């Protein structure tokens, strides 16, 4: 009888302990003014980039017909040969 009574109290303690000692959920901290300004700035940058892309699609400021293709052309000038290590001779 005593063991059942003791087991009942222990079981009740195990069930009630989380309710008594459990933490209350914490509220998330409010966003600071600096963070709000940073987010607004990033949104403004995205909007400005989209606006610029629309303008570039209508009136492109860069024409690709005069692109520098010097990589495709053969090198100009003379090739330089490596003479090798310099060896000093004693007189």
């Amino acid at each position: 009888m005593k063991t059942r009574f003791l087991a009942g109290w222990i079981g009740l303690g195990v069930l009630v302990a989380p309710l008594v000692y459990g933490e209350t959920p914490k509220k998330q901290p409010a966003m600071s003014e600096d963070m709000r300004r940073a987010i607004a700035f990033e949104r403004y940058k995205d909007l400005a980039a989209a606006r610029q892309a629309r303008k570039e699609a209508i009136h492109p400021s860069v024409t690709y017909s005069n692109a520098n293709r010097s990589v495709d052309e053969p090198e100009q000038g003379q090739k330089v040969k490596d003479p090798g290590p310099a060896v000093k001779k004693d007189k």
Side-chain angles (χ1 to χ4, degrees):
M1 174 84 178
K2 289 183 182 181
T3 54
R4 286 186 181 179
F5 186 69
L6 182 61
W9 277 107
I10 291 174
L12 183 65
V14 168
L15 292 174
V16 174
L19 297 174
V20 174
Y21 295 108
E23 291 186 25
T24 58
K26 296 180 181 179
K27 294 181 180 177
Q28 292 182 347
M31 202 180 312
S32 69
E33 184 62 29
D34 289 339
M35 185 60 72
R36 286 188 184 126
R37 285 184 17 220
I39 291 171
F41 178 73
E42 288 295 325
R43 286 182 183 157
Y44 176 76
K45 276 187 9 181
D46 291 342
L47 290 173
R51 186 170 47 246
Q52 185 65 29
R54 284 192 306 268
K55 287 181 182 177
E56 292 277 333
I58 296 170
H59 303 289
S61 61
V62 178
T63 58
Y64 295 101
S65 62
N66 61 355
N68 184 5
R69 293 186 175 82
S70 62
V71 177
D72 297 336
E73 297 173 3
E75 294 182 19
Q76 296 177 355
Q78 299 175 355
K79 291 188 177 182
V80 178
K81 293 183 180 180
D82 185 17
V87 179
K88 293 185 179 180
K89 295 182 180 180
D90 291 333
K91 288 187 177 181

